[in-house]
Amino acid sequence: MDRRMAVEARRRWLAAALVLATLPGGLRAQGGKHLNPLVTLLEQKQAVFGLYAPANPRGRGGRGGAPAEPAPAQKSQADLAKDALAYAPADYIFDGSMEGDFDRGYATFSEFA
């Protein structure tokens, strides 16, 4: 992803955040429930549990040692997202792929999302 596309993606995210922040009712859905169910859980002083987004295993990077077993088949981002959503005990899914380098991680994250 080139820099121009990354800047455009950031602008779109900012525009979406501004639109959501200006919605009437402080981002509440009809009936008084929050659009984000985590807010309701936190208001009720209940614990919330997150799941780090599943990822394909990475190799050892040539660090030596005995040859590893053959690498398992790589899953598509859609399959990884299905795995994450299938884990019912999680209240949210965390993905840190854009930490430190937004441009490198955004394409993979957007496909996962």
Side-chain angles (χ1 to χ4, degrees):
M1 173 181 285
D2 68 352
R3 183 163 176 74
R4 187 176 26 172
M5 291 174 61
V7 169
E8 183 61 29
R10 288 180 186 145
R11 285 184 189 150
R12 288 182 183 175
W13 280 103
L14 180 59
L18 290 172
V19 168
L20 290 174
T22 58
L23 286 175
L27 289 178
R28 290 188 183 262
Q30 291 180 350
K33 291 186 176 184
H34 294 278
L35 292 176
N36 184 341
L38 289 179
V39 174
T40 304
L41 290 173
L42 292 170
E43 282 180 342
Q44 296 170 356
K45 308 245 187 270
Q46 294 182 2
V48 294
F49 298 95
L51 170 71
Y52 200 91
N56 285 311
R58 294 187 281 183
R60 293 177 46 103
R63 290 186 221 155
E69 297 176 9
Q74 299 287 300
K75 293 183 177 182
S76 70
Q77 290 298 314
D79 289 336
L80 292 171
K82 287 177 190 175
D83 290 348
L85 292 174
Y87 189 73
D91 294 312
Y92 66 92
I93 300 167
F94 173 77
D95 178 86
S97 63
M98 291 181 281
E99 291 180 10
D101 191 349
F102 176 84
D103 295 332
R104 181 179 55 87
Y106 180 74
T108 304
F109 172 76
S110 63
E111 187 179 343
F112 178 81

